[in-house]
Amino acid sequence: MNFSTSNERDQLHQKLGEISERVQQLSRLIAGQTEAWERDANEWQRLQRHKRDLTEWLVDEATNENGTIVKPRIDAALGGESFVPCTITTIVNGQQYRLTLVSTCYDVEEI
């Protein structure tokens, strides 16, 4: 490309500068979103671990060594928790259980 005037070159440099600035803005935006997504993914994994631990504890408290429910209502003492799953299904030792939140207690039933 051969530009006949310095004005055309100046305009081209200005456009390239604007494009470069926009690319940098978008790169910063993508970096910020990536950080937010990583934080959210880590929090989701933490909540999933919390749910799994809660589920295991509830089933352990509600059942005997044979997996039979001996205590159908367990007070999970969830006051102050920011994440409280309302209904959880799980399989423990080949038996499936549904845990349903009732107040701060869970009703446990074999399904």
Side-chain angles (χ1 to χ4, degrees):
M1 259 173 151
N2 187 3
F3 293 97
S4 59
T5 66
S6 65
N7 187 31
E8 289 175 328
R9 280 192 299 268
D10 291 344
Q11 287 177 350
L12 178 60
H13 283 292
Q14 181 181 353
K15 291 252 186 239
L16 288 174
E18 290 170 0
I19 291 170
S20 177
E21 176 60 30
R22 183 65 179 142
V23 167
Q24 290 175 359
Q25 289 173 350
L26 291 172
S27 294
R28 288 190 296 270
L29 179 64
I30 289 170
Q33 288 178 340
T34 299
E35 288 177 18
W37 292 334
E38 288 173 356
R39 278 192 309 271
D40 291 346
N42 288 335
E43 179 64 5
W44 177 252
Q45 289 173 350
R46 185 189 73 77
L47 294 174
Q48 290 297 95
R49 284 190 303 272
H50 173 69
K51 178 180 165 184
R52 185 188 64 240
D53 293 344
L54 176 62
T55 301
E56 289 173 0
W57 178 80
L58 287 167
V59 170
D60 187 53
E61 289 293 309
T63 60
N64 63 14
E65 61 278 351
N66 299 322
T68 304
I69 296 173
V70 293
K71 213 169 156 186
R73 181 162 285 185
I74 304 296
D75 185 354
L78 296 172
E81 291 285 333
S82 59
F83 172 70
V84 180
C86 294
T87 300
I88 310 167
T89 57
T90 188
I91 298 174
V92 176
N93 296 328
Q95 292 179 298
Q96 187 172 7
Y97 300 93
R98 177 181 301 123
L99 312 166
T100 306
L101 182 64
V102 182
S103 171
T104 60
C105 297
Y106 279 87
D107 281 340
V108 179
E109 61 183 315
E110 188 174 341
I111 54 176

